[in-house]
Amino acid sequence: MTDEARPYGGGTSDPALKRVRTRHFQRAKEDGIKITGLTSYDFLSASIFDEAGIDFLLVGDSAGNTVFGYDTTIPVTLEELIPLTAAVVRGVKRALVVADMPFGSYENGPDEALRTAIRFMKETGCHAVKCEGGVRSAKQIKRIVRAGIPVMGHVGYTPQSEHGLGGHIIQGRGDEGADQLLADAHAVEDAGAFAVVLEMVPSEIAGRVTQELTIPTLSVGAGPKCDGQLLVWSDWAGFTRGRIPRFVKQYAQIGDTLMQAASEFRADVESGAYPSAEHEYGE
Ligand code: KIV
């Protein structure tokens, strides 16, 4: 399908779509057009991904690992995510920006969840929020949606529950796992979410969820049958040092590029090769 023929998205080459909205997610699913998402935590990366036509940017609590250097996403706070989300919003013209509700900011019930979502909307200008959990988070999602705030669900492997789940483990396997995943995904849809992330689940069961739900499914390691794909940008761009998950395809090696650039800069400063005349101001 050419960009011109697309009723939705197709990158910045689609002049008709000035701003991605939640209703475009629904239309994309109905029309069989795949949705693309990346995480982003700053103004510069957000403006590049937006210009490239990425449909939505998630200011994930993966910032705990990628920005703040924590071992898990559990310590991340709302106060830490608000300025990052505001910076990402300032970087976009077209993409839908989703703020991730951090651990401890919604589990206590619908009132707490709504307070958190309202803070994100008022203080950052984001367009939607995301929260982890299916059946267990349904009441929270319902309350936020009723207040007019779009919610993206997140089921399957949910990193904030790493310890409860017993580690970094694929979800939805076996009859029991599949039943749980389906129940969680349906609970999120019934609560009014506009889309749901499926993280680290086998492709076949992700395909079943995608067929059963009317809202789009967004895969993070859930295979090609989902309605869209989402990746953590530092994994995807080869910025992350160390191990990355098997489901990630790396589209660049910017970590190596930066390492080489920093080494050359150091060598040039030490040898006196930098700065040279072209970098100096005259009288
Ligand atoms: O925080 C994050 O980046 C996420 C995605 C991996 C879904 O929640």
Side-chain angles (χ1 to χ4, degrees), residues 38-41 58-66 73 100 130 132 152-154 157 159-160 197-199 218-220 230-233 247:
L38 285 172
T39 64
S40 176
Y41 319 101
L58 170 68
V59 188
D61 64 354
S62 49
N65 310 98
T66 63
T73 58
D100 210 1
K130 174 171 89 56
E132 294 189 3
M152 179 179 280
H154 182 166
Y157 180 72
Q160 293 171 8
V197 171
L198 307 182
E199 181 163 351
L218 304 166
S219 160
V220 178
L230 166 65
L231 287 173
V232 169
W233 93 260
F247 60 79

Side-chain angles (χ1 to χ4, degrees), residues 14 20 22-23 25 88 91 102 110 119 136 145 147 202 206 253 270 281:
D14 179 351
V20 178
T22 55
R23 66 190 155 86
F25 278 62
V88 168
R119 280 203 63 192
R136 71 182 160 89
V145 171
Q253 288 300 332
E270 286 171 2
Y281 293 113

Side-chain angles (χ1 to χ4, degrees), residues 66-117:
T66 63
V67 176
F68 298 112
Y70 304 137
D71 285 340
T72 71
T73 58
I74 293 167
V76 177
T77 65
L78 184 57
E79 305 307 326
E80 286 171 326
L81 289 186
I82 281 179
L84 304 188
T85 308
V88 168
V89 169
R90 288 192 286 271
V92 306
K93 292 191 173 75
R94 173 186 178 276
L96 184 119
V97 177
V98 183
D100 210 1
M101 312 241 286
F103 182 61
S105 74
Y106 62 96
E107 293 85 347
N108 283 313
D111 288 346
E112 182 187 54
L114 181 57
R115 257 196 310 275
T116 300

Side-chain angles (χ1 to χ4, degrees), residues 47-62:
S47 56
I48 291 168
F49 302 158
D50 184 62
E51 202 178 322
I54 299 297
D55 296 311
F56 74 99
L57 300 184
L58 170 68
V59 188
D61 64 354
S62 49

